[in-house]
Amino acid sequence: MRERSRQFWRKHGKLMLTDTFAVLLSGLIRAVGIFMFITPNRFAPGGTSGIAVLLEYATGWNSGIFLLILNVPLFFIAFFLLGKREAIVSTASMLLTSGLLIVFDPKILPWVANIQYVPVNGFLAAVAGGIVSGIALAVMLKSCGTSGGTTVLASLVNKKYRNLSVSMLTSVFDAIVVVASFFVYNRGAEFTFTEKLDPVLLACVCLFVTSKICDVILQGFKTAFKFEIVTEEPEVLAQEIMDKLHHGVTKISAEGMYTREGKSMLVCIIRKRQIAELQRIVRQYPGAFAYFTPVSEVYGKFLK
């Protein structure tokens, strides 16, 4: 029995610790972003978090309460649509966010009102909120592959309408929340129509920054570029690349379908700052044909 327990922890212990850390980190970061940057600056950047923020403004109740109410039914949907692990991890993270938002209420902790960020220009708050939300989303996606919330609703609709993608449906739900913010944050007749657009525009900025930050984290910071070079002088060209750029080169046999002549294709992964140098090397070989594409999160033996 004891041996089985040891084997279980050896096999699943690391995954459980990773999930627990992801839940704590994602929930904490999301709560900080909502409390510090989103709620005090009156914009709702989509998702269940955005709905909760709108409801808090409309009713005066804490957004954590609404976030909790919204995510309880979504948990049961996610449990059957996304799988047990994904549902538990994503919902646990959201529950932690809800709990922290409730605790962050100035009525409970009066001093927390001093850390809310209300700049003269709300654009800065939208950017900051997007950065924080992007980090939280990336942590969640890396852990369980789903962010929960409106993604669960999108998956539910996708079950019936297969021609509608989950990502598109999620974007539609986010857009509905953003448009709704125009009517919820109606600050009175003394404001012009363009001024009433501020919540919508801030939400769009926040969503854009969130998406970009999340993509950068998921794709990795170790970006590079892959060159593919078709040449009749593979040995000489490859040796020059290895000598000058200090990166390995892979040779692949190739055949020109028009000429039916046998050639070689060289594949090389280099850093961004080495692109111009590699282009100068290739230009010395008039018969060579080359192109390059960006690659992300390079693994393995990158240097020669």
mmCIF file of all heavy atoms in Angstrom, residues 249-277:
data_model
loop_
_atom_site.group_PDB
_atom_site.id
_atom_site.type_symbol
_atom_site.label_atom_id
_atom_site.label_comp_id
_atom_site.label_asym_id
_atom_site.label_seq_id
_atom_site.Cartn_x
_atom_site.Cartn_y
_atom_site.Cartn_z
ATOM 1 N N VAL A 249 23.936 23.175 -39.124
ATOM 2 C CA VAL A 249 23.170 23.175 -40.379
ATOM 3 C C VAL A 249 22.770 21.738 -40.695
ATOM 4 O O VAL A 249 23.573 20.813 -40.549
ATOM 5 C CB VAL A 249 23.987 23.764 -41.546
ATOM 6 C CG1 VAL A 249 23.156 23.766 -42.824
ATOM 7 C CG2 VAL A 249 24.454 25.175 -41.224
ATOM 8 N N THR A 250 21.527 21.561 -41.132
ATOM 9 C CA THR A 250 21.035 20.241 -41.528
ATOM 10 C C THR A 250 20.857 20.208 -43.045
ATOM 11 O O THR A 250 20.255 21.125 -43.616
ATOM 12 C CB THR A 250 19.686 19.935 -40.846
ATOM 13 O OG1 THR A 250 19.865 19.968 -39.429
ATOM 14 C CG2 THR A 250 19.176 18.560 -41.261
ATOM 15 N N LYS A 251 21.373 19.168 -43.669
ATOM 16 C CA LYS A 251 21.245 19.030 -45.128
ATOM 17 C C LYS A 251 20.173 18.000 -45.452
ATOM 18 O O LYS A 251 20.166 16.891 -44.908
ATOM 19 C CB LYS A 251 22.575 18.599 -45.753
ATOM 20 C CG LYS A 251 22.516 18.533 -47.282
ATOM 21 C CD LYS A 251 23.867 18.187 -47.878
ATOM 22 C CE LYS A 251 24.173 16.711 -47.746
ATOM 23 N NZ LYS A 251 25.383 16.311 -48.508
ATOM 24 N N ILE A 252 19.280 18.376 -46.361
ATOM 25 C CA ILE A 252 18.199 17.502 -46.807
ATOM 26 C C ILE A 252 18.257 17.380 -48.326
ATOM 27 O O ILE A 252 18.395 18.384 -49.021
ATOM 28 C CB ILE A 252 16.816 18.066 -46.397
ATOM 29 C CG1 ILE A 252 16.749 18.255 -44.877
ATOM 30 C CG2 ILE A 252 15.692 17.154 -46.871
ATOM 31 C CD1 ILE A 252 15.501 18.948 -44.403
ATOM 32 N N SER A 253 18.168 16.172 -48.821
ATOM 33 C CA SER A 253 18.176 15.967 -50.271
ATOM 34 C C SER A 253 16.883 16.500 -50.870
ATOM 35 O O SER A 253 15.793 16.308 -50.330
ATOM 36 C CB SER A 253 18.323 14.476 -50.597
ATOM 37 O OG SER A 253 19.560 13.988 -50.103
ATOM 38 N N ALA A 254 17.003 17.187 -52.005
ATOM 39 C CA ALA A 254 15.835 17.781 -52.654
ATOM 40 C C ALA A 254 15.950 17.611 -54.170
ATOM 41 O O ALA A 254 17.022 17.325 -54.706
ATOM 42 C CB ALA A 254 15.717 19.254 -52.290
ATOM 43 N N GLU A 255 14.820 17.785 -54.856
ATOM 44 C CA GLU A 255 14.784 17.676 -56.320
ATOM 45 C C GLU A 255 13.904 18.777 -56.884
ATOM 46 O O GLU A 255 12.783 18.990 -56.418
ATOM 47 C CB GLU A 255 14.224 16.314 -56.750
ATOM 48 C CG GLU A 255 14.163 16.157 -58.263
ATOM 49 C CD GLU A 255 13.546 14.827 -58.679
ATOM 50 O OE1 GLU A 255 13.339 13.976 -57.784
ATOM 51 O OE2 GLU A 255 13.263 14.647 -59.874
ATOM 52 N N GLY A 256 14.437 19.522 -57.857
ATOM 53 C CA GLY A 256 13.656 20.553 -58.517
ATOM 54 C C GLY A 256 12.621 19.916 -59.433
ATOM 55 O O GLY A 256 12.986 19.184 -60.358
ATOM 56 N N MET A 257 11.350 20.149 -59.201
ATOM 57 C CA MET A 257 10.297 19.503 -59.978
ATOM 58 C C MET A 257 10.216 20.026 -61.413
ATOM 59 O O MET A 257 9.692 19.349 -62.297
ATOM 60 C CB MET A 257 8.941 19.711 -59.277
ATOM 61 C CG MET A 257 8.847 19.052 -57.908
ATOM 62 S SD MET A 257 9.205 17.277 -57.965
ATOM 63 C CE MET A 257 7.824 16.662 -58.920
ATOM 64 N N TYR A 258 10.739 21.213 -61.667
ATOM 65 C CA TYR A 258 10.720 21.759 -63.034
ATOM 66 C C TYR A 258 11.907 21.237 -63.846
ATOM 67 O O TYR A 258 11.758 20.757 -64.966
ATOM 68 C CB TYR A 258 10.742 23.290 -62.976
ATOM 69 C CG TYR A 258 10.710 23.933 -64.336
ATOM 70 C CD1 TYR A 258 9.514 23.993 -65.058
ATOM 71 C CD2 TYR A 258 11.858 24.496 -64.901
ATOM 72 C CE1 TYR A 258 9.474 24.582 -66.313
ATOM 73 C CE2 TYR A 258 11.825 25.082 -66.149
ATOM 74 C CZ TYR A 258 10.639 25.129 -66.857
ATOM 75 O OH TYR A 258 10.610 25.714 -68.098
ATOM 76 N N THR A 259 13.099 21.304 -63.247
ATOM 77 C CA THR A 259 14.302 20.864 -63.959
ATOM 78 C C THR A 259 14.612 19.385 -63.753
ATOM 79 O O THR A 259 15.390 18.806 -64.500
ATOM 80 C CB THR A 259 15.517 21.677 -63.503
ATOM 81 O OG1 THR A 259 15.717 21.460 -62.093
ATOM 82 C CG2 THR A 259 15.290 23.163 -63.749
ATOM 83 N N ARG A 260 14.020 18.797 -62.707
ATOM 84 C CA ARG A 260 14.292 17.405 -62.326
ATOM 85 C C ARG A 260 15.757 17.194 -61.944
ATOM 86 O O ARG A 260 16.286 16.092 -62.058
ATOM 87 C CB ARG A 260 13.914 16.454 -63.456
ATOM 88 C CG ARG A 260 12.415 16.407 -63.758
ATOM 89 C CD ARG A 260 11.656 15.827 -62.589
ATOM 90 N NE ARG A 260 10.205 15.816 -62.836
ATOM 91 C CZ ARG A 260 9.320 15.348 -61.970
ATOM 92 N NH1 ARG A 260 9.728 14.871 -60.805
ATOM 93 N NH2 ARG A 260 8.021 15.380 -62.245
ATOM 94 N N GLU A 261 16.393 18.236 -61.483
ATOM 95 C CA GLU A 261 17.784 18.154 -61.064
ATOM 96 C C GLU A 261 17.866 17.961 -59.548
ATOM 97 O O GLU A 261 17.094 18.557 -58.798
ATOM 98 C CB GLU A 261 18.547 19.423 -61.455
ATOM 99 C CG GLU A 261 18.666 19.629 -62.968
ATOM 100 C CD GLU A 261 19.429 20.902 -63.287
ATOM 101 O OE1 GLU A 261 19.813 21.617 -62.316
ATOM 102 O OE2 GLU A 261 19.633 21.178 -64.480
ATOM 103 N N GLY A 262 18.797 17.132 -59.129
ATOM 104 C CA GLY A 262 18.988 16.898 -57.704
ATOM 105 C C GLY A 262 19.733 18.047 -57.053
ATOM 106 O O GLY A 262 20.744 18.523 -57.577
ATOM 107 N N LYS A 263 19.213 18.524 -55.943
ATOM 108 C CA LYS A 263 19.849 19.604 -55.199
ATOM 109 C C LYS A 263 19.817 19.276 -53.708
ATOM 110 O O LYS A 263 19.356 18.198 -53.317
ATOM 111 C CB LYS A 263 19.130 20.933 -55.456
ATOM 112 C CG LYS A 263 19.188 21.394 -56.910
ATOM 113 C CD LYS A 263 18.551 22.761 -57.082
ATOM 114 C CE LYS A 263 18.643 23.211 -58.536
ATOM 115 N NZ LYS A 263 18.070 24.562 -58.736
ATOM 116 N N SER A 264 20.293 20.198 -52.918
ATOM 117 C CA SER A 264 20.271 20.025 -51.461
ATOM 118 C C SER A 264 19.607 21.228 -50.826
ATOM 119 O O SER A 264 19.727 22.357 -51.316
ATOM 120 C CB SER A 264 21.687 19.862 -50.915
ATOM 121 O OG SER A 264 22.288 18.694 -51.413
ATOM 122 N N MET A 265 18.916 20.970 -49.732
ATOM 123 C CA MET A 265 18.313 22.062 -48.975
ATOM 124 C C MET A 265 18.955 22.094 -47.594
ATOM 125 O O MET A 265 18.988 21.083 -46.890
ATOM 126 C CB MET A 265 16.797 21.879 -48.847
ATOM 127 C CG MET A 265 16.132 23.041 -48.116
ATOM 128 S SD MET A 265 14.319 22.992 -48.145
ATOM 129 C CE MET A 265 14.028 21.606 -47.044
ATOM 130 N N LEU A 266 19.464 23.253 -47.238
ATOM 131 C CA LEU A 266 20.081 23.453 -45.935
ATOM 132 C C LEU A 266 19.087 24.120 -45.002
ATOM 133 O O LEU A 266 18.418 25.080 -45.379
ATOM 134 C CB LEU A 266 21.335 24.321 -46.061
ATOM 135 C CG LEU A 266 22.430 23.813 -47.005
ATOM 136 C CD1 LEU A 266 23.595 24.796 -47.045
ATOM 137 C CD2 LEU A 266 22.912 22.432 -46.584
ATOM 138 N N VAL A 267 18.988 23.600 -43.793
ATOM 139 C CA VAL A 267 18.095 24.160 -42.783
ATOM 140 C C VAL A 267 18.940 24.648 -41.621
ATOM 141 O O VAL A 267 19.777 23.907 -41.094
ATOM 142 C CB VAL A 267 17.069 23.121 -42.287
ATOM 143 C CG1 VAL A 267 16.149 23.750 -41.246
ATOM 144 C CG2 VAL A 267 16.263 22.576 -43.460
ATOM 145 N N CYS A 268 18.717 25.910 -41.225
ATOM 146 C CA CYS A 268 19.523 26.493 -40.159
ATOM 147 C C CYS A 268 18.648 27.396 -39.296
ATOM 148 O O CYS A 268 17.861 28.194 -39.823
ATOM 149 C CB CYS A 268 20.682 27.296 -40.751
ATOM 150 S SG CYS A 268 21.769 28.046 -39.515
ATOM 151 N N ILE A 269 18.777 27.262 -37.974
ATOM 152 C CA ILE A 269 18.061 28.115 -37.027
ATOM 153 C C ILE A 269 19.046 29.144 -36.479
ATOM 154 O O ILE A 269 20.087 28.772 -35.925
ATOM 155 C CB ILE A 269 17.462 27.300 -35.868
ATOM 156 C CG1 ILE A 269 16.596 26.161 -36.401
ATOM 157 C CG2 ILE A 269 16.659 28.199 -34.943
ATOM 158 C CD1 ILE A 269 15.375 26.608 -37.150
ATOM 159 N N ILE A 270 18.715 30.434 -36.643
ATOM 160 C CA ILE A 270 19.618 31.492 -36.184
ATOM 161 C C ILE A 270 18.849 32.501 -35.338
ATOM 162 O O ILE A 270 17.623 32.496 -35.293
ATOM 163 C CB ILE A 270 20.284 32.220 -37.374
ATOM 164 C CG1 ILE A 270 19.208 32.933 -38.211
ATOM 165 C CG2 ILE A 270 21.088 31.249 -38.221
ATOM 166 C CD1 ILE A 270 19.780 33.836 -39.283
ATOM 167 N N ARG A 271 19.608 33.389 -34.719
ATOM 168 C CA ARG A 271 18.981 34.453 -33.942
ATOM 169 C C ARG A 271 18.640 35.636 -34.850
ATOM 170 O O ARG A 271 19.183 35.772 -35.942
ATOM 171 C CB ARG A 271 19.912 34.901 -32.812
ATOM 172 C CG ARG A 271 20.281 33.775 -31.864
ATOM 173 C CD ARG A 271 21.070 34.290 -30.670
ATOM 174 N NE ARG A 271 21.499 33.178 -29.828
ATOM 175 C CZ ARG A 271 20.726 32.571 -28.947
ATOM 176 N NH1 ARG A 271 19.481 32.952 -28.801
ATOM 177 N NH2 ARG A 271 21.197 31.570 -28.224
ATOM 178 N N LYS A 272 17.746 36.503 -34.360
ATOM 179 C CA LYS A 272 17.262 37.617 -35.171
ATOM 180 C C LYS A 272 18.396 38.530 -35.616
ATOM 181 O O LYS A 272 18.421 38.976 -36.771
ATOM 182 C CB LYS A 272 16.227 38.421 -34.374
ATOM 183 C CG LYS A 272 15.585 39.554 -35.149
ATOM 184 C CD LYS A 272 14.523 40.260 -34.310
ATOM 185 C CE LYS A 272 13.855 41.370 -35.112
ATOM 186 N NZ LYS A 272 12.789 42.044 -34.327
ATOM 187 N N ARG A 273 19.345 38.790 -34.745
ATOM 188 C CA ARG A 273 20.426 39.704 -35.075
ATOM 189 C C ARG A 273 21.379 39.155 -36.124
ATOM 190 O O ARG A 273 22.231 39.880 -36.640
ATOM 191 C CB ARG A 273 21.207 40.068 -33.808
ATOM 192 C CG ARG A 273 21.814 38.877 -33.102
ATOM 193 C CD ARG A 273 22.533 39.297 -31.823
ATOM 194 N NE ARG A 273 22.960 38.168 -31.032
ATOM 195 C CZ ARG A 273 24.040 37.435 -31.274
ATOM 196 N NH1 ARG A 273 24.814 37.727 -32.303
ATOM 197 N NH2 ARG A 273 24.351 36.421 -30.485
ATOM 198 N N GLN A 274 21.250 37.839 -36.442
ATOM 199 C CA GLN A 274 22.152 37.219 -37.421
ATOM 200 C C GLN A 274 21.542 37.124 -38.813
ATOM 201 O O GLN A 274 22.183 36.611 -39.731
ATOM 202 C CB GLN A 274 22.532 35.817 -36.937
ATOM 203 C CG GLN A 274 23.312 35.813 -35.626
ATOM 204 C CD GLN A 274 23.574 34.407 -35.120
ATOM 205 O OE1 GLN A 274 22.656 33.578 -35.066
ATOM 206 N NE2 GLN A 274 24.821 34.138 -34.747
ATOM 207 N N ILE A 275 20.314 37.629 -38.990
ATOM 208 C CA ILE A 275 19.637 37.516 -40.280
ATOM 209 C C ILE A 275 20.427 38.204 -41.385
ATOM 210 O O ILE A 275 20.672 37.629 -42.455
ATOM 211 C CB ILE A 275 18.213 38.109 -40.198
ATOM 212 C CG1 ILE A 275 17.327 37.244 -39.303
ATOM 213 C CG2 ILE A 275 17.593 38.229 -41.592
ATOM 214 C CD1 ILE A 275 15.926 37.803 -39.110
ATOM 215 N N ALA A 276 20.820 39.447 -41.149
ATOM 216 C CA ALA A 276 21.537 40.210 -42.181
ATOM 217 C C ALA A 276 22.847 39.525 -42.558
ATOM 218 O O ALA A 276 23.222 39.475 -43.742
ATOM 219 C CB ALA A 276 21.806 41.632 -41.687
ATOM 220 N N GLU A 277 23.550 38.977 -41.570
ATOM 221 C CA GLU A 277 24.823 38.315 -41.853
ATOM 222 C C GLU A 277 24.620 37.062 -42.693
ATOM 223 O O GLU A 277 25.377 36.798 -43.642
ATOM 224 C CB GLU A 277 25.518 37.963 -40.541
ATOM 225 C CG GLU A 277 26.945 37.462 -40.736
ATOM 226 C CD GLU A 277 27.672 37.264 -39.419
ATOM 227 O OE1 GLU A 277 27.080 37.586 -38.361
ATOM 228 O OE2 GLU A 277 28.824 36.801 -39.456
#
